[in-house]
Structure formats: structure tokens, C-alpha cells
Amino acid sequence: MNEFVLACHNLHKHFQEAELHVEVLQDLEFNVKPKEQVAIIGSSGSGKSTLLHLLGGLDEPSQGEIWVAGKQINQLNQAKRGLWRNRHLGFVYQFHHLLPEFTALENVCMPLLIRGMPPKTAQNQASDLLVEVGLGDRLKHKPSELSGGERQRTAIARALVTEPKCVLADEPTGNLDRQTAERVYEIMLALNQKIGTSLVLVTHDQNLAKKMDRTLQLVDGRLKVL
Ligand SMILES: Nc1ncnc2c1ncn2[C@@H]1O[C@H](COP(=O)(O)OP(=O)(O)O)[C@@H](O)[C@H]1O
Ligand SMILES: [Mg+2]
């Protein structure tokens, strides 16, 4: 599993709610090589977000192994898993999840400060990246003072500022208009390539998926090669 930045083996996930037993993922196999860009498509409710949560260590599998940067994270306790995740992965969600009371710059600084980087260095690194996503003149703006596309670009900068091994993105342009979505997407792909970060992107947009190295479809709890 060491040649992959991210991998899972024999992955199962079910949810039990009262009488209802929902099998979401069944014996799923998946791996991502360094710098690889993989799209995951699938109908609504097929388990795409569940898969991304498991791969990112935000939820625990019912069965199976999950490997991030050479370590089996599902055997770590929650605190250690959190540290490993912060060190090696970045996340971009459909809704930006930026902290509302902080500026764009402060939001992007946050993951670096959590890692113990001196504030001045963190600020420089964060503002460089915000300039790269075209937000050099929005550093002091709070999320409520940014447009939808600007918020997602801030969220992308926040995910990439730590130069993670892999970014997990769950329909990051899902609530943007088509033109804005395309621009945000181009910026994300270019930046991933530049930093050398792998990308796992959940999208319902087949045109976007085609621009990635490969596309997989989540059906009946497994990933099918397209
Ligand atoms: N925390 C949960 N508890 C119970 N069922 C859940 C939970 N999270 C997801 N599910 C169910 O798992 C299935 C897959 O959900 P999800 O991963 O969000 O799908 P997708 O992202 O592909 O639309 C759905 O049927 C959903 O209702
Ligand atoms: Mg989803």
C-alpha cells in the first residue's frame, strides 16, 4: 500500500437506523497514485459522500482497511487519525465551510497555525496561495463579503495550503453556476498539478470528469471503471 497516497481494501459501510439496514459500500477496492486525478461519479444516494468521509478518516468503516500516506488510518485512535489527516489530506466540500467570523486570509492560515507554523510565515504562505487563486484583493474579506465562486476558491486555497498528498473534493462546484464552476474547477486542477497533489473529485458533471486521469462510477456499493 506504500506506493499509493490513498487506498482502501475490502471496504464495507452500512448504516443501521431503527429497523432499517442500509448497505452503502460493499467490498470496495480503490487506490490513488501520487499526482493522480480521479473522478468519482454516481447517482444521488449511491454513497459518494460516505466513501469520501471514510477515505478522509471522518467516519469509520463497518469493515475493511483504509490507507493514507502509507498508514492504515482505521486502526488509529481518533486523535491520531485527526493528526494524520491534517498532515496529509485536504478537503473541499460542496458548501465552503469557511469560518464566518474570520477573513479569507485567516481561514487559509488556519491549517498552518494548527500545525504550529509561526503566524508570519503562515500568513505569507496563505496570501501567496490566495493570490494564485485570483483573490489577492480579497484577503481581508469575510466569507459573507465574497461571491460563491470566491468562497470556493478560498476553500480550495485552504485545502491546498498545507501541500497535502491528496485532496478530497465532494461536488465542490455543485452549487455554482456553470461558468463560475468551470473557472473554479480549472483553478483547482492547475493548482493540484503545480503542487503535485493527488485529487479525488466527486462530481455529477461528466464533462468535468472527462478532464481527469480516470473516472470511476459508484454503483451497488462498488467502483466501476468507466
Ligand atoms: N449518517 C447516516 N445515517 C444513515 N444513513 C446514512 C447516513 N449517511 C448516509 N446515509 C445513507 O447512505 C446512502 C448514501 O449516502 P451518500 O453517501 O450521502 O450518497 P451520495 O453522496 O452519493 O449522494 C444514502 O442512502 C443515505 O441515506
Ligand atoms: Mg453526496
Side-chain angles (χ1 to χ4, degrees):
M1 295 288 175
N2 273 332
E3 73 266 39
F4 302 118
V5 292
L6 188 66
C8 66
H9 173 58
N10 182 33
L11 189 67
H12 289 254
K13 181 69 181 176
H14 61 254
F15 293 106
Q16 185 78 43
E17 271 196 87
E19 303 291 285
L20 198 64
H21 180 88
V22 187
E23 286 287 341
V24 183
L25 306 176
Q26 297 184 58
D27 195 19
L28 184 144
E29 303 285 325
F30 180 49
N31 53 57
V32 184
K33 293 193 203 106
K35 302 184 185 177
E36 196 177 24
Q37 301 188 330
V38 186
I40 294 178
I41 60 167
S43 54
S44 177
S46 59
K48 305 180 297 297
S49 294
T50 302
L51 175 61
L52 241 55
H53 286 149
L54 293 174
L55 293 174
L58 301 167
D59 194 4
E60 290 181 13
S62 309
Q63 197 187 316
E65 298 173 8
I66 296 162
W67 295 76
V68 175
K71 200 176 259 209
Q72 193 177 339
I73 58 162
N74 58 300
Q75 292 198 330
L76 301 175
N77 66 32
Q78 213 168 344
K80 284 194 172 144
R81 201 161 67 219
L83 283 174
W84 197 250
R85 171 173 70 222
N86 182 254
R87 185 126 136 241
H88 296 292
L89 297 176
F91 298 87
V92 189
Y93 305 94
Q94 177 166 6
F95 300 98
H96 55 82
H97 290 292
L98 297 169
L99 299 169
E101 66 274 33
F102 291 102
T103 64
L105 181 61
E106 288 164 342
N107 267 284
V108 178
C109 272
M110 204 66 74
L112 298 174
L113 297 176
I114 290 170
R115 286 174 160 210
M117 186 180 276
K120 199 79 214 149
T121 322
Q123 266 185 18
N124 288 339
Q125 211 159 303
S127 68
D128 284 352
L129 204 52
L130 280 163
V131 168
E132 283 210 49
V133 300
L135 294 176
D137 53 357
R138 297 284 188 280
L139 301 182
K140 299 264 167 72
H141 289 231
K142 291 190 175 158
S144 61
E145 299 159 349
L146 298 170
S147 72
E150 288 169 345
R151 284 178 206 152
Q152 282 309 66
R153 282 187 271 152
T154 307
I156 287 164
R158 182 187 52 183
L160 281 160
V161 76
T162 57
E163 305 198 347
K165 290 247 170 27
C166 186
V167 165
L168 301 172
D170 195 352
E171 306 200 35
T173 57
N175 67 339
L176 302 176
D177 65 78
R178 170 133 215 123
Q179 219 177 350
T180 310
E182 265 173 30
R183 176 155 160 66
V184 168
Y185 190 76
E186 295 295 333
I187 288 170
M188 183 164 73
L189 280 190
L191 205 54
N192 268 277
Q193 248 155 14
K194 187 175 168 196
I195 295 176
T197 292
S198 306
L199 174 66
V200 178
L201 171 78
V202 166
T203 178
H204 55 262
D205 188 331
Q206 300 244 15
N207 285 326
L208 295 185
K210 275 187 200 136
K211 294 181 187 166
M212 311 279 284
D213 296 325
R214 59 191 169 107
T215 302
L216 300 167
Q217 186 180 14
L218 190 51
V219 251
D220 299 331
R222 291 195 182 86
L223 288 170
K224 199 171 96 181
V225 179
L226 282 189

